[in-house]
Amino acid sequence: MTMASSKKESPLDTALTQLRRAIDQLGLSENDWNTLSTPRRILEVAVPLRRDDDRVEMYKGYRVQYSTTRGPSKGGVRFHQDIDLDETVALAMLMTWKCALTNLPYGGAKGGVAVNPSQLSERENERLTRRYTSEILPIIGPERDIPAPDVGTDERNMAWMMDTYSVNAGYSVPGVVTGKPIVLGGSLGRTSATGDGVAIAVCEALRQKKIAQDGATVAIQGFGKVGYWAALALEKLGLKVVAVSDVKGGVTGFSSVESLQKFARENGTVVGAPGTETLTNTELLHLPVDVLVPAALADSITHSTAPGIKAKVVVEGANAPTTPQGDQVLNDKGILVVPDILANSGGVIVSYFEWVQDKQNFFWSADEVKENLNSIMMRAINEVAETSVSKKVTWREAANMIGVGRVAQAHRLRGLYP
Ligand code: NAD
């Protein structure tokens, strides 16, 4: 698929472009393209919400099960006013290749509600989460499809989802969602897992580029569940996080990630933290740093923002932060891009550990979680780096070839019913 430069690149365009390329590079057939470019199950639901003042509002909700070929589908639930079906399909597709790349026994899914959660009270958020869960109830379950947190949702939402599912089942079903509070069967290390995985990817990318880890400079766009934990992990590893941003803007000059997080928690944004200077999100992307971590939303690095990027390494904490045109610019500049399906896979890897622990009712220590996360991520990183060299392709192409190739192989081996 080719796109005119004036056309806005959507996450679905991006995902399909990357899939087409992987299919061609792997020498797969048109039958494979037809099978792999089609989501398996889409559920669109209306989610009514009674507001605290008794008004009733309707919101659109989605659950897309892109693939169940390699196991139950798995993917986050996003609460964001801008989500639509196309983006949800794109994110569910990425989850499919991500689970295959990391060799987890899952397909891929994504879901969400088109709502701005910051405008809901806690009680409204709970009612919306429970009603959404009950609308998608027939297609989720520990053996079918296992939701997790994503943008705008967290462990509170997972607790309400788990409770709603369990009340309907008549007994506790902790394995229906991951990213739960520890006391409800959550896993140690899940909260920080995506950020910890991003940090592992950053260190490996620096090693590839022969840049010293100690003192390497980092700018991070997005200071939520991924950005904050990545910043904290990188700071502990001796890197220097020089700038971070959120939806309201960015800052430089803070004394530590912890102190900035404290300010952000109390004020709802990093902007205005004592002793800092403010910058725009675009200025943050263009800082002369060693590492840039986009960890906010899709379509951040585009044909218009990519030319100004000076980082030597881009590690994608967010899903689909780089459009194909932005990617081309980064490649032409010789910037090493660690793609989303590899860089942010720490979240789904530890979600998998949580699901395994829930199935076995046997819980691991934090060290076991860390060790296993490290070993799965390093195996995937090494496979991608080796494929990139042997096939003379970028890391993104290599990651997609491995992920897509595994799903195609699973399809072939299972055969077509009937
Ligand atoms: P979050 O809601 O916890 O945080 C999102 C952050 O991005 C916030 O700081 C927000 O202010 C900022 N942001 C939002 N819009 C922005 C904009 N236009 N410009 C700059 N900053 C903006 O979400 P999260 O869970 O950290 O997810 C971030 C990204 O990482 C998403 O793409 C998500 O799909 C991806 N991801 C998340 C996980 C996970 O485990 N949470 C796992 C894999 C990938």
Side-chain angles (χ1 to χ4, degrees), residues 112-133:
V113 180
V115 64
N116 182 348
S118 70
Q119 290 175 0
L120 301 178
S121 70
E122 171 107 1
R123 294 272 69 89
E124 289 170 340
N125 195 330
E126 177 176 352
R127 288 198 289 276
L128 188 80
T129 304
R130 288 187 182 281
R131 183 59 188 251
Y132 168 68
T133 309

Side-chain angles (χ1 to χ4, degrees), residues 103 163 236 328 339:
N103 242 331
D163 183 68
K236 283 188 186 149
Q328 188 61 51

Side-chain angles (χ1 to χ4, degrees), residues 98 154-155 175 193 210 219 280 318 327 343 413:
K98 189 187 300 181
D154 58 24
E155 62 173 39
K210 300 190 175 24
T280 65
D327 206 30
L413 291 170

Side-chain angles (χ1 to χ4, degrees), residues 249-390:
V251 288
T252 58
F254 43 90
S255 55
S256 73
V257 170
E258 264 312 11
S259 64
L260 190 62
Q261 161 70 354
K262 187 169 176 295
F263 178 88
R265 230 187 357 250
E266 285 159 7
N267 297 275
T269 175
V270 294
V271 177
T276 61
E277 278 171 39
T278 305
L279 73 173
T280 65
N281 264 289
T282 305
E283 284 166 346
L284 177 136
L285 295 178
H286 296 162
L287 286 174
V289 285
D290 295 310
V291 185
L292 174 65
V293 179
L297 296 179
D299 289 352
S300 160
I301 301 177
T302 63
H303 64 281
S304 67
T305 57
I309 290 179
K310 299 175 193 71
K312 300 176 186 86
V313 167
V314 171
V315 178
E316 295 181 336
N319 284 311
T322 310
T323 64
Q325 292 172 342
D327 206 30
Q328 188 61 51
V329 175
L330 299 185
N331 294 334
D332 291 347
K333 282 168 168 264
I335 296 172
L336 175 58
V337 180
V338 185
D340 45 11
I341 63 169
L342 180 60
N344 69 33
S345 63
V348 73
I349 292 170
V350 179
S351 272
Y352 164 61
F353 299 160
E354 180 174 331
W355 179 74
V356 167
Q357 292 169 76
D358 288 338
K359 269 171 146 339
Q360 300 184 339
N361 288 309
F362 182 75
F363 291 87
W364 307 358
S365 69
D367 281 348
E368 272 172 291
V369 170
K370 211 172 176 165
E371 217 170 276
N372 284 301
L373 167 64
N374 198 59
S375 98
I376 293 185
M377 276 212 69
M378 285 308 299
R379 191 177 60 205
I381 290 171
N382 288 332
E383 278 178 346
V384 167
E386 282 160 20
T387 304
S388 150
V389 172
S390 66

Side-chain angles (χ1 to χ4, degrees), residues 78 150 152 190 194 223-226 246-247 281 295-296 317-319 344:
R78 183 174 287 199
D150 189 69
R190 174 60 184 91
T194 312
F223 201 53
K225 294 184 294 298
V226 179
D246 58 32
V247 67
N281 264 289
N319 284 311
N344 69 33

Side-chain angles (χ1 to χ4, degrees), residues 116-290:
N116 182 348
S118 70
Q119 290 175 0
L120 301 178
S121 70
E122 171 107 1
R123 294 272 69 89
E124 289 170 340
N125 195 330
E126 177 176 352
R127 288 198 289 276
L128 188 80
T129 304
R130 288 187 182 281
R131 183 59 188 251
Y132 168 68
T133 309
S134 107
E135 294 297 337
I136 64 166
L137 203 84
I139 65 165
I140 61 171
E143 313 299 336
R144 294 167 183 241
D145 178 14
I146 305 117
D150 189 69
V151 175
T153 59
D154 58 24
E155 62 173 39
R156 283 175 320 162
N157 302 88
M158 295 306 112
W160 295 325
M161 290 190 81
M162 178 264 191
D163 183 68
T164 304
Y165 189 90
S166 299
V167 165
N168 279 275
Y171 52 93
S172 276
V173 188
V176 65
V177 289
T178 57
K180 296 179 294 295
I182 305 286
V183 290
L184 294 179
S187 175
L188 292 171
R190 174 60 184 91
T191 313
S192 61
T194 312
D196 289 342
V198 166
I200 294 171
V202 166
C203 293
E204 273 310 298
L206 287 175
R207 213 171 54 79
Q208 293 277 336
K209 282 287 209 178
K210 300 190 175 24
I211 299 169
Q213 181 181 313
D214 204 30
T217 51
V218 189
I220 302 181
Q221 181 185 50
F223 201 53
K225 294 184 294 298
V226 179
Y228 163 64
W229 288 105
L232 198 65
L234 289 166
E235 195 176 67
K236 283 188 186 149
L237 287 164
L239 290 87
K240 188 146 181 41
V241 180
V242 295
V244 305
S245 67
D246 58 32
V247 67
K248 302 218 171 103
V251 288
T252 58
F254 43 90
S255 55
S256 73
V257 170
E258 264 312 11
S259 64
L260 190 62
Q261 161 70 354
K262 187 169 176 295
F263 178 88
R265 230 187 357 250
E266 285 159 7
N267 297 275
T269 175
V270 294
V271 177
T276 61
E277 278 171 39
T278 305
L279 73 173
T280 65
N281 264 289
T282 305
E283 284 166 346
L284 177 136
L285 295 178
H286 296 162
L287 286 174
V289 285
D290 295 310

